[in-house]
Amino acid sequence: ILNVEQSPQSLHVQEGDSTNFTCSFPSSNFYALHWYRWETAKSPEALFVMTLNGDEKKKGRISATLNTKEGYSYLYIKGSQPEDSATYLCAPRGGGQGGKLIFGQGTELSVKP
Amino acid sequence: NAGVTQTPKFQVLKTGQSMTLQCAQDMNHEYMSWYRQDPGMGLRLIHYSVGAGITDQGEVPNGYNVSRSTTEDFPLRLLSAAPSQTSVYFCASSYGSGTAPYEQYFGPGTRLTVT
């Protein structure tokens, strides 16, 4: 199981701002990195699963990059909208870990109109 | 497909009572997990299972038991409820192949209050 840290813990931005946050994890025994979006009073939803060093994934205005050698992933949101307000969770998965995901504490994003 | 279902949606227990939170999935997923939501700590893994008959502890297993007699069902038992177990509980399932292996599919959650 890979320990994970997410920063910042919370972020308050204005509508239209672009923002990014970080997921840090040990680079040894890395297999994959999961990102989830979790809106208040709802269930978490998968955003990306990333495996290769240098991987970049994109879904609409949200994108993510992965650096497995230094052990971090960035999540970017371009032109934040109020509906992007949510907690963003990451979970690194090590080799042999199967479906056992340990999540970071998350970054809580609030976008003001 | 119904996906991952959880019952009940809400429950209030008194300290010391026991109960079972139900979780079922109809996607034939091999992996199932239970998480609890804690303020400032995100989701914490309680127990998980890699298949029928096989379970293992997560980060916060104390006070909870699980079993997996079928692929579809993964109930979580609270042995003697304590106020510290007041939380929202999420069940999730995943499978190990495809374009997004081990991507978790979450149920709607059970909100538990222990008084």
Side-chain angles (χ1 to χ4, degrees):
Chain A
I1 297 172
L2 298 181
N3 293 325
V4 55
E5 290 194 9
Q6 291 188 247
S7 61
Q9 269 196 305
S10 64
L11 201 51
H12 300 267
V13 301
Q14 291 294 129
E15 182 176 354
D17 288 348
S18 292
T19 186
N20 68 86
F21 21 94
T22 307
C23 173
S24 300
F25 51 87
S27 54
S28 60
N29 194 34
F30 172 86
Y31 189 78
L33 191 284
H34 296 244
W35 278 103
Y36 286 78
R37 182 171 179 273
W38 188 14
E39 289 182 71
T40 302
K42 293 188 178 179
S43 304
E45 294 182 337
L47 282 174
F48 308 115
V49 178
M50 310 172 76
T51 55
L52 300 175
N53 185 45
D55 238 358
E56 289 188 33
K57 300 273 187 176
K58 188 174 181 182
K59 187 180 284 189
R61 292 178 292 96
I62 303 177
S63 60
T65 61
L66 178 66
N67 183 321
T68 61
K69 293 184 179 179
E70 296 183 37
Y72 64 84
S73 175
Y74 292 142
L75 190 79
Y76 301 92
I77 302 179
K78 184 178 178 182
S80 303
Q81 300 296 308
E83 57 265 31
D84 295 327
S85 297
T87 297
Y88 291 84
L89 299 167
C90 73
R93 179 160 52 86
Q97 199 171 311
K100 184 176 182 177
L101 284 193
I102 303 292
F103 288 90
Q105 79 275 23
T107 291
E108 186 177 356
L109 175 66
S110 174
V111 183
K112 291 187 177 178
Chain B
N1 287 351
V4 180
T5 58
Q6 292 183 237
T7 56
K9 288 187 178 169
F10 302 95
Q11 183 71 49
V12 179
L13 289 178
K14 293 188 189 304
T15 297
Q17 288 184 316
S18 61
M19 78 158 294
T20 299
L21 279 62
Q22 302 291 345
C23 174
Q25 53 93 6
D26 61 358
M27 299 173 282
N28 201 32
H29 284 176
E30 57 206 296
Y31 298 95
M32 295 187 74
S33 302
W34 275 104
Y35 294 90
R36 56 177 286 171
Q37 173 184 355
D38 293 313
M41 303 187 77
L43 286 173
R44 292 199 290 172
L45 180 66
I46 305 171
H47 285 285
Y48 86 112
S49 169
V50 301
I54 306 170
T55 63
D56 199 359
Q57 295 182 349
E59 303 171 272
V60 287
N62 291 343
Y64 307 95
N65 271 357
V66 291
S67 59
R68 184 123 177 248
S69 55
T70 67
T71 300
E72 294 78 18
D73 300 300
F74 191 41
L76 178 72
R77 282 182 287 279
L78 278 70
L79 308 173
S80 176
S84 60
Q85 294 178 305
T86 293
S87 187
V88 181
Y89 291 83
F90 288 97
C91 179
S93 71
S94 65
Y95 61 99
S97 59
T99 56
Y102 307 113
E103 176 183 294
Q104 304 273 334
Y105 292 74
F106 284 87
T110 294
R111 184 174 293 275
L112 175 69
T113 302
V114 183
T115 61

